[in-house]
Coordinates of all heavy atoms in Angstrom, one line a residue:
D196 N -11.9 9.3 15.9 CA -12.5 10.0 17.0 C -13.2 9.1 18.0 O -13.1 9.2 19.2 CB -13.5 11.1 16.5 CG -12.7 12.3 16.0 OD1 -11.6 12.5 16.3 OD2 -13.4 13.1 15.2
R197 N -14.0 8.2 17.4 CA -14.8 7.3 18.3 C -13.9 6.4 19.1 O -14.0 6.2 20.3 CB -15.7 6.4 17.4 CG -16.5 5.4 18.3 CD -17.5 4.6 17.5 NE -18.6 5.3 17.2 CZ -19.8 4.8 16.7 NH1 -19.9 3.4 16.6 NH2 -20.8 5.5 16.4
L198 N -12.9 5.7 18.4 CA -12.0 4.8 19.1 C -11.1 5.5 20.1 O -10.8 5.0 21.2 CB -11.2 4.0 18.1 CG -12.0 3.1 17.2 CD1 -11.0 2.3 16.3 CD2 -12.9 2.2 18.0
K199 N -10.7 6.8 19.8 CA -9.9 7.5 20.7 C -10.8 7.9 22.0 O -10.3 8.0 23.1 CB -9.4 8.8 20.1 CG -8.1 8.6 19.3 CD -7.0 8.2 20.2 CE -5.7 7.9 19.5 NZ -4.6 7.4 20.4
G200 N -12.1 8.1 21.7 CA -13.0 8.3 22.9 C -13.1 7.1 23.8 O -13.1 7.3 25.0
V201 N -13.2 5.9 23.2 CA -13.2 4.7 24.0 C -11.8 4.6 24.7 O -11.8 4.3 25.9 CB -13.4 3.5 23.1 CG1 -13.3 2.2 23.9 CG2 -14.8 3.6 22.4
E202 N -10.7 4.8 24.0 CA -9.4 4.7 24.6 C -9.3 5.7 25.8 O -8.7 5.4 26.8 CB -8.4 5.1 23.5 CG -6.9 4.9 24.0 CD -6.0 5.2 22.8 OE1 -5.6 6.4 22.6 OE2 -5.7 4.2 22.0
K203 N -9.8 6.9 25.7 CA -9.8 7.9 26.7 C -10.4 7.4 28.0 O -10.0 7.7 29.1 CB -10.4 9.2 26.2 CG -10.4 10.4 27.2 CD -11.0 11.6 26.6 CE -11.1 12.7 27.6 NZ -11.7 13.9 27.1
Q204 N -11.5 6.7 27.8 CA -12.2 6.1 29.0 C -11.5 5.0 29.7 O -11.6 4.8 30.9 CB -13.6 5.6 28.6 CG -14.5 6.7 28.0 CD -15.8 6.1 27.5 OE1 -16.3 5.0 27.9 NE2 -16.4 6.8 26.5
L205 N -10.6 4.3 28.9 CA -10.0 3.1 29.4 C -8.5 3.3 29.9 O -8.1 2.6 30.8 CB -10.0 2.0 28.4 CG -11.4 1.6 27.9 CD1 -11.3 0.6 26.8 CD2 -12.2 1.0 29.0
Q206 N -7.8 4.2 29.3 CA -6.4 4.3 29.5 C -6.1 5.6 30.4 O -6.6 6.6 30.1 CB -5.6 4.5 28.2 CG -5.6 3.2 27.3 CD -4.8 2.1 27.9 OE1 -5.4 1.4 28.8 NE2 -3.6 1.9 27.5
P207 N -5.2 5.4 31.3 CA -4.8 6.6 32.2 C -4.0 7.6 31.4 O -3.3 7.3 30.4 CB -3.9 5.9 33.3 CG -3.4 4.7 32.6 CD -4.4 4.2 31.7
L208 N -4.1 8.9 31.8 CA -3.4 9.9 31.2 C -1.9 9.9 31.5 O -1.5 9.6 32.6 CB -4.0 11.3 31.6 CG -3.5 12.6 30.9 CD1 -3.9 12.6 29.5 CD2 -4.0 13.8 31.7
D209 N -1.1 10.1 30.5 CA 0.4 10.2 30.6 C 0.7 11.6 31.0 O 0.7 12.5 30.1 CB 1.0 9.8 29.3 CG 2.6 9.8 29.4 OD1 3.1 10.5 30.3 OD2 3.2 9.1 28.6
Y210 N 0.9 11.9 32.3 CA 1.0 13.3 32.7 C 2.3 13.9 32.2 O 2.3 15.1 32.0 CB 1.0 13.3 34.2 CG -0.4 13.2 34.8 CD1 -0.8 11.9 35.3 CD2 -1.3 14.2 34.7 CE1 -2.1 11.7 35.7 CE2 -2.6 14.0 35.2 CZ -3.0 12.8 35.7 OH -4.3 12.6 36.1
A211 N 3.4 13.1 32.0 CA 4.6 13.7 31.4 C 4.4 14.2 30.0 O 4.8 15.4 29.7 CB 5.7 12.7 31.4
C212 N 3.6 13.5 29.2 CA 3.3 13.9 27.8 C 2.4 15.1 27.9 O 2.6 16.1 27.2 CB 2.6 12.7 27.1 SG 1.8 13.2 25.5
F213 N 1.4 15.1 28.8 CA 0.4 16.2 28.9 C 1.1 17.5 29.3 O 0.8 18.5 28.7 CB -0.6 15.8 30.0 CG -1.8 16.7 30.0 CD1 -2.8 16.6 29.1 CD2 -1.8 17.8 30.9 CE1 -3.9 17.5 29.1 CE2 -2.9 18.7 30.9 CZ -3.9 18.5 30.0
Q214 N 2.1 17.4 30.2 CA 2.8 18.6 30.7 C 3.7 19.1 29.6 O 3.9 20.3 29.4 CB 3.6 18.3 31.9 CG 2.8 18.1 33.2 CD 2.0 19.4 33.5 OE1 2.5 20.5 33.5 NE2 0.7 19.2 33.8
S215 N 4.2 18.2 28.7 CA 5.1 18.7 27.7 C 4.4 19.5 26.6 O 4.9 20.4 26.0 CB 5.7 17.4 27.0 OG 6.6 16.8 27.9
Y216 N 3.1 19.1 26.4 CA 2.4 19.8 25.3 C 1.2 20.7 25.7 O 0.8 21.5 24.9 CB 1.8 18.7 24.3 CG 2.9 17.9 23.6 CD1 3.3 16.6 24.1 CD2 3.6 18.4 22.6 CE1 4.3 15.9 23.5 CE2 4.6 17.7 21.9 CZ 5.0 16.5 22.4 OH 6.0 15.8 21.8
C217 N 0.7 20.4 26.9 CA -0.5 21.2 27.3 C -0.5 21.7 28.7 O -1.5 21.9 29.3 CB -1.8 20.3 27.1 SG -2.3 20.1 25.4
S218 N 0.7 22.0 29.2 CA 0.9 22.7 30.5 C 0.3 24.1 30.3 O 0.2 24.6 29.2 CB 2.3 22.7 30.9 OG 3.1 23.5 30.0
P219 N 0.0 24.8 31.4 CA -0.5 26.2 31.3 C 0.5 27.1 30.5 O 0.0 27.9 29.7 CB -0.6 26.6 32.7 CG -0.9 25.4 33.5 CD -0.1 24.3 32.8
D220 N 1.8 26.9 30.6 CA 2.7 27.7 29.9 C 2.6 27.4 28.4 O 2.7 28.3 27.5 CB 4.2 27.4 30.4 CG 4.4 28.0 31.8 OD1 3.6 28.8 32.2 OD2 5.4 27.6 32.4
R221 N 2.5 26.1 28.1 CA 2.3 25.7 26.7 C 1.1 26.2 26.0 O 1.0 26.7 24.9 CB 2.4 24.2 26.5 CG 3.7 23.6 26.7 CD 4.6 23.7 25.5 NE 5.8 23.0 25.6 CZ 6.7 22.9 24.6 NH1 6.5 23.5 23.5 NH2 7.8 22.2 24.8
L222 N 0.0 26.1 26.8 CA -1.3 26.6 26.3 C -1.3 28.1 26.0 O -2.0 28.6 25.1 CB -2.4 26.2 27.2 CG -2.8 24.8 27.3 CD1 -3.9 24.5 28.4 CD2 -3.4 24.3 26.0
A223 N -0.5 28.8 26.9 CA -0.5 30.3 26.7 C 0.2 30.7 25.4 O 0.0 31.8 24.9 CB 0.3 30.8 27.9
T224 N 0.9 29.8 24.8 CA 1.6 30.1 23.5 C 0.6 30.0 22.3 O 0.9 30.4 21.2 CB 2.8 29.3 23.3 OG1 2.4 27.9 23.2 CG2 3.8 29.4 24.4
S225 N -0.5 29.3 22.6 CA -1.5 29.1 21.5 C -2.5 30.2 21.5 O -2.9 30.8 22.5 CB -2.3 27.8 21.7 OG -1.4 26.7 21.7
P226 N -3.1 30.6 20.3 CA -4.2 31.5 20.2 C -5.3 31.1 21.1 O -5.6 29.9 21.2 CB -4.6 31.5 18.7 CG -3.3 31.0 18.0 CD -2.7 30.1 18.9
E227 N -6.0 32.0 21.7 CA -7.0 31.7 22.7 C -8.1 30.8 22.1 O -8.6 29.9 22.8 CB -7.6 33.0 23.2 CG -8.6 32.8 24.4 CD -9.0 34.1 25.0 OE1 -8.4 35.1 24.7 OE2 -9.9 34.0 25.9
D228 N -8.5 31.0 20.9 CA -9.6 30.3 20.3 C -9.1 28.8 19.9 O -10.0 28.0 19.6 CB -10.1 31.0 19.1 CG -9.1 31.1 18.0 OD1 -7.9 31.0 18.2 OD2 -9.5 31.4 16.8
Q229 N -7.8 28.5 20.0 CA -7.4 27.2 19.7 C -7.0 26.3 21.0 O -6.6 25.2 20.9 CB -6.1 27.2 18.8 CG -6.5 27.8 17.4 CD -5.2 27.9 16.5 OE1 -4.2 27.3 16.8 NE2 -5.3 28.6 15.4
R230 N -7.0 27.0 22.1 CA -6.6 26.3 23.3 C -7.5 25.1 23.7 O -7.0 24.1 24.1 CB -6.5 27.3 24.5 CG -5.4 28.3 24.3 CD -5.4 29.4 25.3 NE -4.5 30.5 25.0 CZ -4.3 31.6 25.6 NH1 -5.1 31.8 26.7 NH2 -3.5 32.5 25.2
G231 N -8.8 25.3 23.5 CA -9.7 24.2 23.9 C -9.4 22.9 23.0 O -9.4 21.8 23.5
Y232 N -9.2 23.2 21.7 CA -8.9 22.1 20.8 C -7.6 21.4 21.1 O -7.5 20.2 21.1 CB -8.9 22.6 19.3 CG -8.3 21.6 18.3 CD1 -9.1 20.6 17.9 CD2 -7.0 21.7 17.8 CE1 -8.7 19.6 17.0 CE2 -6.6 20.8 16.9 CZ -7.4 19.7 16.5 OH -6.9 18.8 15.6
R233 N -6.6 22.3 21.4 CA -5.3 21.7 21.8 C -5.4 20.8 23.1 O -4.8 19.8 23.2 CB -4.2 22.8 22.0 CG -2.8 22.3 22.3 CD -1.8 23.4 22.2 NE -0.5 22.9 22.5 CZ 0.6 23.6 22.3 NH1 0.6 24.8 21.8 NH2 1.8 23.1 22.7
L234 N -6.1 21.3 24.0 CA -6.3 20.6 25.3 C -7.0 19.2 25.0 O -6.6 18.2 25.5 CB -7.1 21.4 26.2 CG -7.2 20.9 27.7 CD1 -5.8 20.9 28.3 CD2 -8.2 21.8 28.5
E235 N -8.0 19.2 24.2 CA -8.7 18.0 23.8 C -7.8 17.0 23.1 O -7.8 15.8 23.3 CB -9.9 18.3 23.0 CG -10.7 17.1 22.4 CD -11.3 16.2 23.5 OE1 -11.5 16.7 24.6 OE2 -11.6 15.1 23.2
L236 N -6.9 17.6 22.2 CA -6.0 16.7 21.5 C -5.0 16.1 22.4 O -4.7 14.9 22.3 CB -5.3 17.6 20.4 CG -4.6 16.8 19.3 CD1 -5.6 16.0 18.5 CD2 -3.9 17.8 18.4
C237 N -4.5 16.8 23.4 CA -3.6 16.3 24.4 C -4.3 15.2 25.2 O -3.7 14.2 25.6 CB -3.0 17.4 25.3 SG -1.8 18.4 24.5
E238 N -5.5 15.4 25.6 CA -6.3 14.4 26.4 C -6.4 13.1 25.6 O -6.4 12.0 26.2 CB -7.7 15.0 26.6 CG -7.8 16.0 27.7 CD -7.9 15.4 29.1 OE1 -8.0 14.2 29.2 OE2 -7.8 16.2 30.1
R239 N -6.4 13.2 24.3 CA -6.6 11.9 23.5 C -5.2 11.3 23.2 O -5.1 10.1 23.3 CB -7.3 12.2 22.2 CG -8.8 12.6 22.5 CD -9.6 12.6 21.2 NE -11.0 12.9 21.5 CZ -11.9 12.6 20.6 NH1 -11.6 12.0 19.5 NH2 -13.2 12.9 20.9
I240 N -4.2 12.1 22.9 CA -3.0 11.6 22.4 C -2.1 11.1 23.5 O -1.3 10.2 23.4 CB -2.3 12.6 21.5 CG1 -3.0 12.7 20.2 CG2 -0.8 12.2 21.2 CD1 -2.4 13.7 19.2
C241 N -2.1 11.8 24.7 CA -1.2 11.5 25.8 C -1.7 10.3 26.6 O -2.0 10.5 27.8 CB -1.0 12.8 26.6 SG 0.0 14.0 25.8
R242 N -2.0 9.2 26.0 CA -2.3 8.0 26.6 C -1.7 6.8 25.9 O -1.4 6.9 24.7 CB -3.9 7.8 26.6 CG -4.6 8.9 27.4 CD -6.1 8.7 27.2 NE -6.8 9.9 27.8 CZ -7.1 10.2 29.0 NH1 -6.8 9.3 29.9 NH2 -7.7 11.3 29.4
E243 N -1.4 5.7 26.5 CA -0.9 4.6 25.9 C -1.9 4.1 24.8 O -3.0 3.8 25.2 CB -0.6 3.5 26.9 CG 0.0 2.2 26.3 CD 1.4 2.3 25.7 OE1 2.1 3.3 26.1 OE2 1.8 1.5 24.9
P244 N -1.5 4.1 23.6 CA -2.5 3.7 22.5 C -3.0 2.3 22.6 O -2.2 1.4 22.9 CB -1.8 4.1 21.2 CG -0.4 4.0 21.5 CD -0.2 4.4 23.0
L245 N -4.2 2.1 22.3 CA -4.8 0.7 22.3 C -4.9 0.2 20.9 O -5.2 -1.0 20.7 CB -6.2 0.7 22.9 CG -6.2 0.9 24.5 CD1 -7.6 1.0 25.0 CD2 -5.4 -0.1 25.2
F246 N -4.8 1.0 19.9 CA -4.9 0.6 18.5 C -4.1 1.5 17.6 O -3.6 2.5 17.9 CB -6.4 0.7 18.1 CG -6.9 2.1 17.9 CD1 -6.9 2.8 16.7 CD2 -7.3 2.8 19.1 CE1 -7.4 4.1 16.6 CE2 -7.7 4.1 19.0 CZ -7.8 4.8 17.7
E247 N -3.9 1.0 16.4 CA -3.2 1.8 15.3 C -4.1 1.8 14.1 O -4.6 0.8 13.7 CB -1.9 1.1 14.9 CG -1.1 1.9 13.9 CD 0.2 1.3 13.5 OE1 0.4 0.1 13.7 OE2 1.1 2.1 13.0
Q248 N -4.3 3.0 13.6 CA -5.2 3.1 12.4 C -4.4 3.8 11.3 O -3.7 4.7 11.5 CB -6.4 4.1 12.7 CG -7.3 4.3 11.6 CD -8.6 5.0 12.0 OE1 -9.1 4.8 13.1 NE2 -9.0 5.9 11.1
K249 N -4.5 3.2 10.1 CA -3.8 3.7 8.9 C -4.8 3.8 7.8 O -5.7 3.0 7.7 CB -2.6 2.7 8.5 CG -1.5 2.7 9.5 CD -0.4 1.7 9.1 CE 0.7 1.6 10.1 NZ 1.8 0.7 9.7
T250 N -4.5 4.7 6.9 CA -5.3 4.9 5.7 C -4.4 5.0 4.5 O -3.3 5.4 4.6 CB -6.3 6.1 5.7 OG1 -5.5 7.3 5.9 CG2 -7.2 6.0 6.9
S251 N -4.9 4.6 3.3 CA -4.2 4.8 2.1 C -5.1 4.8 0.9 O -6.3 4.5 1.1 CB -3.2 3.6 1.9 OG -3.9 2.4 1.8
V252 N -4.6 5.3 -0.2 CA -5.4 5.3 -1.5 C -4.5 4.7 -2.5 O -3.3 5.0 -2.7 CB -5.8 6.7 -1.9 CG1 -6.7 6.7 -3.1 CG2 -6.5 7.4 -0.7
E253 N -5.1 3.8 -3.3 CA -4.4 3.2 -4.4 C -5.3 3.0 -5.7 O -6.5 3.0 -5.6 CB -3.8 1.8 -4.0 CG -4.8 0.8 -3.7 CD -4.2 -0.5 -3.2 OE1 -3.2 -0.5 -2.6 OE2 -4.8 -1.6 -3.5
I254 N -4.6 3.0 -6.8 CA -5.4 2.8 -8.1 C -5.8 1.3 -8.1 O -5.0 0.4 -8.0 CB -4.5 3.2 -9.3 CG1 -4.3 4.7 -9.3 CG2 -5.2 2.7 -10.6 CD1 -3.4 5.2 -10.4

Side-chain angles (χ1 to χ4, degrees):
D196 284 341
R197 175 179 287 196
L198 296 184
K199 278 296 178 181
V201 174
E202 186 179 87
K203 181 179 176 180
Q204 298 173 26
L205 301 176
Q206 293 291 83
L208 186 67
D209 182 339
Y210 285 100
C212 170
F213 190 84
Q214 289 298 315
S215 295
Y216 295 101
C217 283
S218 66
D220 290 343
R221 286 283 189 176
L222 288 176
T224 63
S225 297
E227 187 173 352
D228 61 345
Q229 295 181 14
R230 291 173 189 173
Y232 170 75
R233 180 167 179 170
L234 191 62
E235 174 65 20
L236 200 60
C237 285
E238 284 275 354
R239 294 193 174 197
I240 290 180
C241 290
R242 299 175 191 275
E243 179 68 22
L245 293 177
F246 69 97
E247 182 179 24
Q248 180 173 323
K249 296 179 180 179
T250 61
S251 64
V252 183
E253 64 183 32
I254 292 175

